[in-house]
Amino acid sequence: MLVYVLCYGAGMLFASSAHYYLSGASLLLAAVWLYWRDVKKYGSLLDLQALFSLFFIGGQGISCLKLSKLQTDWSLKTWLCFFCAAAVFRLVYGRARSFFQSREPSKKGKRKWAGDKRSRIFTAILILTAISLMAFLLEAAVLGYVPFFVRGVPHAYSYFHISGVHYFTVSCVLVPSMAVLWLFSDFRQGWEDAREQEILEDREPKKCRRFYRLAAAGSRKETAAVLAAVLTAVLIPVLCVSRFQLIFGVILAVLTFMTVTGNQRIRYLIAAAAALIPLYIVLTIARSHDVAYLNGIFEMKNPQTPIFVTQPYMYIANNYDNFNCLVEELPRHSLGLKGMFPLWAFTGLKFLKPELVNWPLYTTKEELTTVTLFYDAYYDFGVAGVILFAAALGAAAGALSVWYRRGTNPAWPLFYAQAALYFMLSFFTTWYSNPTTWFYFGVTAAFALWCGRNGWPFQKDRGTEKQ
């Protein structure tokens, strides 16, 4: 924490004297240092505290570079909020993790699925894909268009939405991750079968190849069905022209793979990002967002900045300036009403009492509406709201970091992967006050119950075997 405090203080001083590059560099250094320390301490590249520190503090450092004319100097209250958010989260996370670790069962076991879940995961994949596809076709039929085929309307995708139905349409983003869980389950079953047949008595290449063939044998029809489901799940966000849902689905699948296998390598995320670039460009064109349109919105100080630098920069940096706009312009706090938007949405109260959700959005520009994770927390209760939410978030993250390792239900890696992705997007969205987020968690919980009630971390010593 000492390094973070010193770097943060330096960043504030450099920003106050308009040395923006030095200010940004100070915070970026702090983000990288904290991430490296957390990875070394907890032994995971996907540790939730490490990810939050890297992406939230790192995003703040990128914003401090002030490369756009839209960006202004932050108020002291804004700096205070950002500091408290990171500091309180880290303090509570460490204590929560220690607390829940101390309550782990004394008997240790090696991770395995809680029973034979392969067929149940397969069925869940088909059901979720079918529901998502039917919801998409219903929206297309009722609204009379598919956003991908509409030209000259930059925000056609925003209107492709039937209330209540669209949640089911976009739930397809969980399908690729479920496919990863199914493949892993198939892999483990093949491994056990191979052991029974003594194929793996040694590690000779020929016998290992026989094992891999055995692991994949007898499932060609299922594999084809799962592949078709994954392709459908990827195609729906493309047709909706939703870049966020496409990126969310693909990166979530990679994180699920890294979580469930323990094979954590940065190159997997880099490869996924590289594979998404062509689709991202296609969807940008399909949205009728040309370079001139985007440059006109972003207002970079250097007009020669290439668009492939400008667009990701503004999607990261401007969110912090939107938070500063909120701090400087908000006339009164919403006292919890804004952060409880998922409740108003799921219960239908937003239609009966529109005043519950009609809160103005304070941003640097009308088109740039993305905000940081703590935007609604400040909107509700100010600095106190940011501190309380950071504490709650740190406690939840600390608990999940212990529970997912102890739980053996196949849904636990998916829960953890979602949390990891949301922390990676902490610079971008107030995910906790987004109904879609809770709908995804609800679908994952239903998936967990479908896979069986055993294998939960609250059930002592279940789903484990003696080493």
Side-chain angles (χ1 to χ4, degrees), residues 132-147 157-170 236 240:
S132 180
L133 180 59
M134 287 189 292
F136 170 76
L137 294 175
L138 176 62
E139 288 190 306
V142 173
L143 298 176
Y145 73 97
V146 174
Y157 71 98
S158 299
Y159 305 106
F160 190 78
H161 186 104
I162 297 178
S163 184
V165 176
H166 199 67
Y167 294 126
F168 295 94
T169 299
V170 298
I236 289 175
C240 291

Side-chain angles (χ1 to χ4, degrees), residues 15-214:
S16 65
S17 59
H19 292 88
Y20 298 125
Y21 288 172
L22 292 176
S23 176
S26 298
L27 290 171
L28 286 170
L29 175 63
V32 174
W33 168 261
L34 291 174
Y35 177 77
W36 177 79
R37 290 282 295 179
D38 291 336
V39 168
K40 186 177 179 181
K41 179 178 181 180
Y42 296 115
S44 172
L45 293 176
L46 300 182
D47 176 72
L48 297 182
Q49 178 175 261
L51 292 176
F52 175 77
S53 299
L54 179 64
F55 286 90
F56 183 76
I57 300 174
Q60 187 182 350
I62 290 174
S63 183
C64 284
L65 298 175
K66 306 293 185 191
L67 301 182
S68 170
K69 297 176 183 177
L70 297 174
Q71 298 178 278
T72 59
D73 290 335
W74 298 338
S75 69
L76 288 177
K77 188 179 288 188
T78 299
W79 283 100
L80 175 63
C81 286
F82 291 154
F83 176 81
C84 289
V88 172
F89 177 90
R90 293 183 62 83
L91 289 173
V92 175
Y93 176 88
R95 284 161 176 74
R97 182 160 180 158
S98 298
F99 175 82
F100 288 103
Q101 279 179 337
S102 66
R103 279 151 179 77
E104 282 193 287
S106 58
K107 293 181 180 180
K108 300 294 182 179
K110 61 182 181 181
R111 187 187 187 97
K112 68 173 184 178
W113 294 130
D116 181 15
K117 305 302 181 187
R118 181 172 175 268
S119 61
R120 286 184 173 268
I121 298 173
F122 175 74
T123 303
I125 290 171
L126 297 187
I127 291 175
L128 185 58
T129 303
I131 292 174
S132 180
L133 180 59
M134 287 189 292
F136 170 76
L137 294 175
L138 176 62
E139 288 190 306
V142 173
L143 298 176
Y145 73 97
V146 174
F148 186 82
F149 301 111
V150 175
R151 293 292 178 270
V153 183
H155 299 287
Y157 71 98
S158 299
Y159 305 106
F160 190 78
H161 186 104
I162 297 178
S163 184
V165 176
H166 199 67
Y167 294 126
F168 295 94
T169 299
V170 298
S171 63
C172 62
V173 299
L174 298 177
V175 171
S177 295
M178 290 182 178
V180 170
L181 295 175
W182 179 81
L183 288 171
F184 181 76
S185 178
D186 190 38
F187 181 87
R188 284 190 63 87
Q189 187 61 50
W191 180 273
E192 296 299 327
D193 292 343
R195 280 194 178 279
E196 290 178 5
Q197 298 182 27
E198 297 182 349
I199 291 177
L200 294 177
E201 281 189 347
D202 54 44
R203 299 289 177 167
E204 293 179 7
K206 289 184 179 180
K207 293 186 177 180
C208 285
R209 284 198 294 270
R210 287 178 62 195
F211 155 65
Y212 285 116
R213 286 198 299 271
L214 177 61

